[in-house]
Amino acid sequence: MRRFWIIFAVVAYLGTLAAVIHAQPVQTPGTLTAEIQSALEQVYTRALPGAVRIETIPEGTGSGFFISADGLVMTAYHVIEDTQSFRVVNSKNESFPAELVGYDEFRDIAILRARVNAPVPFLALETRQGPRVGEPLLAIGNSRGAFIAPRYGLVNTVERDIFPFFNSIAISTTIPLAPGDSGGPVINQAGRVVAVVVAIGRPNGVFESYLSPLLGLDEVIGQLKTGRKRDVPYIGVQLFQIDDETATTLRIPKEGVLIRGLLRGGAAERAGLRGFAVRRENGQEVYDFDVILEADGRPFNDVTELQRYIRSKEVGDNVTLTIRRGSQTLKIELKLTANPTRRG
């Protein structure tokens, strides 16, 4: 289920994580002293009534938190994506059915509405000042069989690249998170939520947890509350980096990015782009493929950079690709779609 996709990045996307952040060594932020942890434990006690467990059908568990007295809940979008229904459970073990209000897939945040019977405690958001390197933070989640439990750690970096499907300003920390913590609040010493839990990984063999920051997102959050649903835009291709060996084998310049395959029903397939294929002609192997040289007139020689450019746009936007196909150079306009492989 894709609701586990990002928090299971340690398994499914380990290679990508390591490749993307290889050039950014993990910093040593300092030490979480007993005094600081004691202060964060007090923050946890005050914040606990506003934190929730999210239970989904098909069976799954995530975390979240109330952001308004009338039952609005913030969580990670991948917690509830592709689910049939879900409910939130508060610290008193009271259960409330909930529905999706809005989401931003790129930032991996979502707003739900729980059908509460009375005003509920909620957590304040910090959108004007982000955490600093070395700052101690508290996360509240539901991993390892725990129920709305605290996790403590320090900020490693505030501008970590994870992978191109997620925004490029994730916060990396030492907080010992695990599956089930996705969507939980990450709170500073002032008791305000600065980020949402989204992923874990082991770049260079060192464990890190990743957060989607709330800094500067007042307008975005306001849009989500009113029902905005922002999907990540797709061309509908699987891409391959052209290295020296590939360029030599295919006898092509080391420029652009190779289209390895097409996603069924995607914009690229509908526009007639070609994935990599091998056929035999007169007893010889012949390679058929397209190479993307430019998008909207901008050259791209790196898969990640091209993916990031596409992700910066909106579903429904048009993009003009410059394609090399054999000896031909073609201009092909595509309309970006949501993930064509998504069910429903």
Side-chain angles (χ1 to χ4, degrees):
M1 303 299 297
R2 192 190 177 280
R3 64 182 181 278
F4 299 128
W5 169 62
I6 292 190
I7 200 63
F8 272 119
V10 68
V11 176
Y13 283 86
L14 182 58
T16 306
L17 280 167
V20 171
I21 62 180
H22 176 73
Q24 304 179 48
V26 176
Q27 301 182 20
T28 302
T31 303
L32 186 64
T33 65
E35 181 180 5
I36 292 174
Q37 181 159 327
S38 176
L40 288 176
E41 288 171 354
Q42 296 178 44
V43 173
Y44 167 69
T45 299
R46 295 192 297 270
L48 178 59
V52 301
R53 174 185 175 100
I54 298 178
E55 299 175 349
T56 67
I57 299 174
E59 184 178 359
T61 300
S63 304
F65 53 101
F66 287 115
I67 60 171
S68 70
D70 62 351
L72 288 181
V73 174
M74 182 174 286
T75 186
Y77 175 53
H78 74 268
V79 169
I80 51 84
E81 185 185 5
D82 292 336
T83 60
Q84 297 172 12
S85 64
F86 42 87
R87 62 180 183 170
V88 302
V89 183
N90 67 10
S91 60
K92 297 180 180 179
N93 212 26
E94 297 171 321
S95 178
F96 308 99
E99 60 185 4
L100 177 64
V101 176
Y103 63 83
D104 186 325
E105 184 182 9
F106 187 59
R107 294 181 174 88
D108 197 14
I109 57 176
I111 303 292
L112 318 178
R113 181 175 293 281
R115 296 203 289 273
V116 297
N117 301 317
V120 294
F122 63 93
L123 304 183
L125 306 181
E126 178 55 78
T127 59
R128 296 187 178 182
Q129 182 174 342
R132 303 177 304 277
V133 172
E135 182 174 344
L137 296 174
L138 156 72
I140 303 178
N142 294 274
S143 66
R144 306 181 183 93
F147 180 68
I148 316 182
R151 316 281 185 221
Y152 308 105
L154 302 170
V155 175
N156 284 330
T157 67
V158 295
E159 294 185 345
R160 172 72 84 219
D161 282 342
I162 304 180
F163 35 76
F165 305 103
F166 182 74
N167 79 66
S168 60
I169 52 171
I171 300 166
S172 69
T173 77
T174 65
I175 303 173
L177 301 173
D181 289 327
S182 278
V186 183
I187 305 172
N188 63 17
Q189 289 179 285
R192 301 176 69 87
V193 180
V194 295
V196 176
V197 173
V198 293
I200 55 178
R202 286 188 177 274
N204 303 317
V206 179
F207 177 88
E208 286 190 308
S209 55
Y210 304 106
L211 321 174
S212 185
L214 300 184
L215 178 64
L217 295 191
D218 281 319
E219 182 177 355
V220 170
I221 293 169
Q223 291 172 347
L224 300 186
K225 289 179 179 179
T226 61
R228 185 186 185 198
K229 297 177 172 67
R230 183 184 184 235
D231 290 293
V232 169
Y234 279 74
I235 300 174
V237 294
Q238 298 167 331
L239 300 174
F240 187 83
Q241 189 74 43
I242 301 176
D243 55 18
D244 291 333
E245 181 180 359
T246 302
T248 300
T249 300
L250 300 180
R251 299 179 182 179
I252 58 174
K254 189 182 174 182
E255 61 179 359
V257 295
L258 178 70
I259 298 179
R260 184 174 61 183
L262 305 177
L263 300 183
R264 181 170 297 179
E269 183 184 61
R270 294 199 301 270
L273 293 181
R274 298 178 182 177
F276 186 84
V278 181
R279 58 184 172 85
R280 296 196 69 82
E281 187 175 291
N282 299 324
Q284 300 293 321
E285 286 189 343
V286 177
Y287 304 111
D288 289 325
F289 55 89
D290 286 346
V291 173
I292 299 175
L293 301 175
E294 299 177 353
D296 293 333
R298 298 177 52 174
F300 288 96
N301 298 319
D302 181 86
V303 168
T304 298
E305 291 305 314
L306 176 57
Q307 289 172 325
R308 287 204 185 282
Y309 177 71
I310 298 301
R311 299 302 188 262
S312 73
K313 296 186 169 295
E314 300 280 348
V315 171
D317 285 351
N318 291 323
V319 173
T320 300
L321 301 180
T322 302
I323 302 294
R324 184 174 61 239
R325 178 179 295 166
S327 60
Q328 295 179 296
T329 300
L330 310 172
K331 297 277 188 181
I332 298 177
E333 185 174 81
L334 305 175
K335 178 172 287 189
L336 300 177
T337 68
N339 185 350
T341 66
R342 181 177 299 158
R343 297 191 304 273

